[in-house]
């Protein structure tokens, strides 16, 4: 269908007072040759929208350039059922962000020039944009694979199946249930509710039964995933069940492989091994389940029991993190002792800090009220008693001295380690696994970037705890429960439901050809002009999500459904052969060149700001909303991610005569905030190489800078821009300015 | 051996509101709030932990619970809602009952030997009589010495009408009612004890 562009300039919200709309209109119509330009006093009003809609029928307008307010507002108002739309942010940038334009003639002139350039950018963008064709494949599946049949896995499987999706559940053991099925009781999930503060049945039996008999769940017990080939919607997963292989077509995957307990043999300093009466919390749980809380040494009743918290946790030499459940587990187990031995019971929890998040504080109170004694201190020495039981020396931090106690059992509350293979994404050596090592992985992914999920820290798979829980760096693969981060059964159940919903969202989006996250709904995806490829492998290496495989000759093999549409590959490609229908090196390059740069003698510098859409652009926008003065010499072009910035744009900017280029993006590094994980980090690495190019052009590398910005930096931002403009102008005349 | 629970259990059962001690989470807010805190041998927090650690002697021989002024700062601030002031007084009382409180503890002597008689005999506090009795509690010699030491303060208070110089004061109006009230309180207390 032929593209018919309509440009609509709003004159409301002070735009008409601050800017010369007539000139703006002429810029679009005459200079940019978009004949259909209309003004409206309030474009967002029903009448304004009606005007646009009328043009759709009468004029056949199918591509929209809305020059009004920020693209972050009135998203619904200006939705015309097509992605062929561009918003020009006149109001926030050229009006509200230029508060002195009303009184100062020079400022008014600058604001007008800014408004015109913004419109030029918009015109070029709509002229260059094409309607993205969604990715389709007849083989797409909506079946959800759940790996792990423990509490989290069963909950996820049942949740997805109840919601109407076919589920394949793979469990390595002969029976479902995992660790929870082997527990005696659970800590209460909602101890603040009246009557709910006591210990609870695990409910594992009922859950196993529900999963076993669910018509939508296909169960593979005594089985494991041998290999995962393909991409979301199109995964071909080989399941090895007792030696025989089956291949299932899978849409998305929930990994719920649970946890392992920290090895107590490393805890000699806490007395493990000193006596059979020093045991782990897991062993104690098994005893309680059998209803016999006794000394291991001689089978006599264990009425005096001490629990050691943080056994190998929050400890530089062992696990550095908190497993978040051990404190409440010990309280629960102390209550077992009190329940069995009543008044004769004597229980003591030796702790560093008690951690009972949320409502579990009520459970802590309950344990205290039942008479459990809490001692803050370090275990110094543990020795077997000749008559059974152990003698424990404690450096008591509350009484400030060494104390000793005699107990029948000393229980070590050990922490959790994730039962999943992950690889450090920054180390490429671990990408080439041997067959033997591959066989040990949970999914054995056939991805160019490795068979395992990339790790975040401490072997847990990458998952942005706050903003994007469950997400891994592999699209369509979600992790739930303690495989993701340490958690107890109640949290695991919620977690599993969350991951199941993400898995459902993934298969549904993919069936429409849309991106999942964070560009949810985006239909565009990169296309590769293969003829130009030099097999440099930058795209296959740099894609943060492992979307691109390689064939034997090093040609990129693109998997659209693995893609998150960040454009990092587009930024990486030195041949500029990767592009999106509505986002390309050529498009942004043309926009950059489309700015009207005044000659040097005008002393009006121009600074190109390539701003990440996710955090930096909203921050700029909010500064405008707050009527903070935004430097009028900056020209902002939003980018999907700094990772998508191709270095050729820097050259384009310099040859056009911009005085400097500023890249605004999210924090990178270990505590990254980049929405595409590695995008801003890669931009930084690429920029470090730009100095050479600049010196070839006789330019100071200080003209290009990357600054990390987060959405809270609104107040800081205008000052940062001013400083950069000042520093760059101090470098002297930019030699490539037009005459 | 520490952390033997028998003393703790006794306190929970017999000391006034002593069962609250098990709810203390050792945050130390009480210790930081008590205006006399720095002068105590043990802060409330420590007292409570000592109880739970089974350290009967250390608790009951401590002079800490005699130092409490009943300002209620700690009660107001304790995040766990412990009635700390009452617990502390309860522990003092337990110390007396068990014969472990130091008979020479000044607060105790003041309360038992001076204050109680002074207020119950008339129904009001007679400052002059109270002071005299307190000064001469250890005999004539030390009494005169204390009196001389405090002479200037006493004269100042007299001048500003802060001290009633008459040592023997008349009974309050309705003294009989006051007496009946006290008797009833004793009776109730005795009943409570025989039930315990
Ligand atoms: S780099 Fe981004 S846009 Fe390119 S393939 Fe990977 S996810 Fe898709
Ligand atoms: S009531 Fe007693 S223990 Fe509490 S703060 Fe006051 S003086 Fe200290
Ligand atoms: S303030 Fe309350 S909870 Fe905190 S230490 Fe004192 S008594 Fe215990």
């Amino acid at each position: 269908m032929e593209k018919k562009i309509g440009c609509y300039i709003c004159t409301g919200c002070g735009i008409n007072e601050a800017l010369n709309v007539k000139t703006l209109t002429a810029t679009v119509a005459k200079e940019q040759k978009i004949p259909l330009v209309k003004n409206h006093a309030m474009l967002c009003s029903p009448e304004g929208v009606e005007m646009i809609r009328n043009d759709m029928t009468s004029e056949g307008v199918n591509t929209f350039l809305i020059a009004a307010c920020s693209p972050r507002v009135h998203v619904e108002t200006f939705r015309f059922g097509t992605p062929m739309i561009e918003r020009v942010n006149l109001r926030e940038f050229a009006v509200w962000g230029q508060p002195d334009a009303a009184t100062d003639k020079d400022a008014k002139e600058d604001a007008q020039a800014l408004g015109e350039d913004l419109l030029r950018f918009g015109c070029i963008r709509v002229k260059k944009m094409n309607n993205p064709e969604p990715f389709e494949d007849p083989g797409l599946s909506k079946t959800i694979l759940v790996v792990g049949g423990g509490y989290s896995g069963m909950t996820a499987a049942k949740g997805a199946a109840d919601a109407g999706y076919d589920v394949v559940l793979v469990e390595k053991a002969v029976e479902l249930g995992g660790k929870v099925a082997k527990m005696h009781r659970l800590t209460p999930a909602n101890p603040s509710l009246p009557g709910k503060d006591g210990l609870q049945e695990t409910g594992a039996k009922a859950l196993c039964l529900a999963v076993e008999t669910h018509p939508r769940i296909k169960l593979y017990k005594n089985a494991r995933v041998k290999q995962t080939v393909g991409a979301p919607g199109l995964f071909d997963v080989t399941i090895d069940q007792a030696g025989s292989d089956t291949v299932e077509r899978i849409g998305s995957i929930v990994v719920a492989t649970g946890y392992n307990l920290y090895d107590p043999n490393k805890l000699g300093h806490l007395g493990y091994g000193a006596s059979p009466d020093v045991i782990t919390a897991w062993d104690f749980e098994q005893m309680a389940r059998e209803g016999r809380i006794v000394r291991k040494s001689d089978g006599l009743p264990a009425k005096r029991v001490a629990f050691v918290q943080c056994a190998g946790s929050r400890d530089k030499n062992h696990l550095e993190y908190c497993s978040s459940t051990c404190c409440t587990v010990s309280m629960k187990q102390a209550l077992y002792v009190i329940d069995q031995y009543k008044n004769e019971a004597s229980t003591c929890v030796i702790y560093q800090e008690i951690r009972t998040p949320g409502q579990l504080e009520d459970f802590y109170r309950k344990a205290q009220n039942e008479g459990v004694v809490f001692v803050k201190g370090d275990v110094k020495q543990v020795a077997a008693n000749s008559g059974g039981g152990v003698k424990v020396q404690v450096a008591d931090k509350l009484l400030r001295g060494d104390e000793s106690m005699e107990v029948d059992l000393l229980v070590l509350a050990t922490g959790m380690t994730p039962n999943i293979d992950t690889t450090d994404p920054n180390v490429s050596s671990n990408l080439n696994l041997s067959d033997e090592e591959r066989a040990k992985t949970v999914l054995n992914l056939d991805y160019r970037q490795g068979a395992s999920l990339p790790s975040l820290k401490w072997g847990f798979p990458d998952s942005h705890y706050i903003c994007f829980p469950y997400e891994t760096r592999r699209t369509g693969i979600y992790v739930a429960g303690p495989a993701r981060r340490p958690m107890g059964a109640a949290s695991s159940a919620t977690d599993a439901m969350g991951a199941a919903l993400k898995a459902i969202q993934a298969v549904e989006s993919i069936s429409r050809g849309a991106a999942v996250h964070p560009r949810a709904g985006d239909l565009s995806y990169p296309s590769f002009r293969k003829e130009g490829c030099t097999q440099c492998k930058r795209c296959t290496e740099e894609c943060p999500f492992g979307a691109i495989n390689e064939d034997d000759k090093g040609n990129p093999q693109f998997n659209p459904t693995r893609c998150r549409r960040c454009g990092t590959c587009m930024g990486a490609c030195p041949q500029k052969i990767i592009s999106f229908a509505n986002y390309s090196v050529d498009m942004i390059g043309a926009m950059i060149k489309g700015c009207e740069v005044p000659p040097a003698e005008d002393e009006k510098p121009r600074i190109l700001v390539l701003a990440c859409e996710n955090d930096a652009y909203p921050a700029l926008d909010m500064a405008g909303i707050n009527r903070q003065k935004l430097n009028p010499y900056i020209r902002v072009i939003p980018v999907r991610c700094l990772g998508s910035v191709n270095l050729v744009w820097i050259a384009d900017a310099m040859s056009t005569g911009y005085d400097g280029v500023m890249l605004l993006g999210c924090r990178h590094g270990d505590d990254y905030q980049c929405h595409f994980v590695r995008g801003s980090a890669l931009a930084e690495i690429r920029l470090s190489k730009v100095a050479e190019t600049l010196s070839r052009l006789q330019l100071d590398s200080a003209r290009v800078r990357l600054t990390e910005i987060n959405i809270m930096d609104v107040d800081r931002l205008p000052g940062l821009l001013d400083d950069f403009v000042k520093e760059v102008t101090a470098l002297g005349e930019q030699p490539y300015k037009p005459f | 051996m520490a952390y033997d629970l028998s003393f703790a259990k006794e306190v929970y059962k017999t000391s006034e509101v002593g069962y609250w001690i098990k709810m203390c989470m050792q945050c130390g807010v009480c210790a930081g709030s008590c205006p006399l805190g720095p002068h105590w041998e043990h802060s409330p927090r420590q007292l409570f932990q000592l109880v739970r650690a089974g350290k009967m002697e250390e608790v009951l021989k401590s002079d800490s619970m005699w130092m409490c002024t009943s300002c209620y700062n700690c009660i107001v601030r304790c995040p766990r809602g412990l009635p700390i002031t009452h617990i502390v007084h309860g522990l003092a009382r337990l110390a007396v009952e068990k014969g472990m409180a130091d008979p020479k503890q000044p607060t105790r002597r003041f309360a038992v030997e001076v204050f109680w008689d002074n207020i119950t005999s008339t129904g009001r506090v007679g400052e002059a009589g109270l002071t005299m009795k307190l000064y001469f509690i250890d005999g004539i010699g030390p009494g005169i010495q204390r009196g001389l030491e405090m002479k200037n303060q006493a004269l100042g208070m007299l001048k500003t009408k802060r001290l009633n110089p008459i040592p023997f004061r008349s009974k309050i109006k309705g003294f009989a009612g006051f007496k009946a009230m006290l008797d009833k309180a004793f009776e109730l207390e005795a009943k409570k004890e025989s039930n315990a």
Side-chain angles (χ1 to χ4, degrees), chain A residues 620-634:
Chain A
L620 283 163
D621 202 40
M622 282 191 275
I625 291 172
N626 295 345
R627 312 296 202 272
Q628 280 169 279
K629 169 100 181 153
L630 288 168
N631 192 296
Y633 303 131
I634 64 162

Side-chain angles (χ1 to χ4, degrees), chain A residues 592-648:
Chain A
I592 291 172
K593 292 181 209 151
C595 168
E596 197 140 276
V597 178
E601 61 268 25
D602 282 15
E603 292 186 1
K604 296 223 185 269
R606 288 291 180 258
I607 307 293
L608 175 65
V609 172
L610 296 169
C612 158
E613 280 176 4
N614 301 295
D615 266 34
Y617 188 90
L620 283 163
D621 202 40
M622 282 191 275
I625 291 172
N626 295 345
R627 312 296 202 272
Q628 280 169 279
K629 169 100 181 153
L630 288 168
N631 192 296
Y633 303 131
I634 64 162
R635 297 293 179 263
V636 178
I637 294 181
V639 295
R640 290 187 174 191
C641 171
L642 283 195
S644 72
V645 172
N646 194 299
L647 287 189
V648 75

Side-chain angles (χ1 to χ4, degrees), chain A residues 442-665:
Chain A
V442 167
L443 294 174
N444 189 7
L445 294 168
D446 179 35
Y447 278 47
R448 184 245 187 259
Q449 296 185 1
S452 308
L453 294 172
S455 74
L456 178 65
K457 219 175 178 182
W458 301 317
F460 289 95
D462 194 354
S463 171
H464 198 299
Y465 291 173
I466 298 167
C467 297
F468 320 125
Y470 325 116
E471 290 289 343
T472 68
R473 291 195 198 182
R474 297 292 172 255
T475 307
I477 304 178
Y478 305 94
V479 185
R484 178 168 87 81
R485 67 170 172 78
M487 64 178 85
S491 312
S492 295
T494 342
D495 214 55
M497 286 309 234
L501 282 168
K502 291 302 288 184
I504 290 171
Q505 192 186 31
V507 292
E508 286 301 334
S509 300
I510 287 163
S511 73
R512 285 183 279 114
V516 180
H517 156 93
R519 295 184 58 83
D522 186 1
L523 295 176
S524 73
Y525 60 89
S527 73
F528 293 67
R529 194 163 44 75
K530 298 216 175 61
E531 310 81 63
C533 176
T534 59
Q535 291 85 34
C536 73
K537 302 187 183 173
R538 295 224 189 127
C539 58
T540 61
E541 266 166 20
E542 292 193 2
C543 170
F545 307 104
I548 318 172
N549 275 14
E550 264 160 35
D551 69 7
D552 299 342
K553 300 202 180 72
N555 288 307
Q557 307 287 304
F558 179 61
N559 293 277
T561 59
R562 290 186 195 169
C563 174
R564 297 203 190 168
R565 286 75 164 165
C566 59
T568 297
C569 49
M570 178 176 118
C573 181
Q575 297 300 103
K576 306 183 285 278
I577 58 164
I578 306 176
S579 61
F580 296 78
N582 50 8
Y583 188 58
S584 65
V585 177
D586 171 53
M587 169 193 275
I588 305 294
M591 287 165 72
I592 291 172
K593 292 181 209 151
C595 168
E596 197 140 276
V597 178
E601 61 268 25
D602 282 15
E603 292 186 1
K604 296 223 185 269
R606 288 291 180 258
I607 307 293
L608 175 65
V609 172
L610 296 169
C612 158
E613 280 176 4
N614 301 295
D615 266 34
Y617 188 90
L620 283 163
D621 202 40
M622 282 191 275
I625 291 172
N626 295 345
R627 312 296 202 272
Q628 280 169 279
K629 169 100 181 153
L630 288 168
N631 192 296
Y633 303 131
I634 64 162
R635 297 293 179 263
V636 178
I637 294 181
V639 295
R640 290 187 174 191
C641 171
L642 283 195
S644 72
V645 172
N646 194 299
L647 287 189
V648 75
W649 294 344
I650 313 268
D652 287 343
M654 287 303 155
S655 62
T656 310
Y658 288 89
D659 297 78
V661 181
M662 198 174 199
L663 273 59
L664 293 179

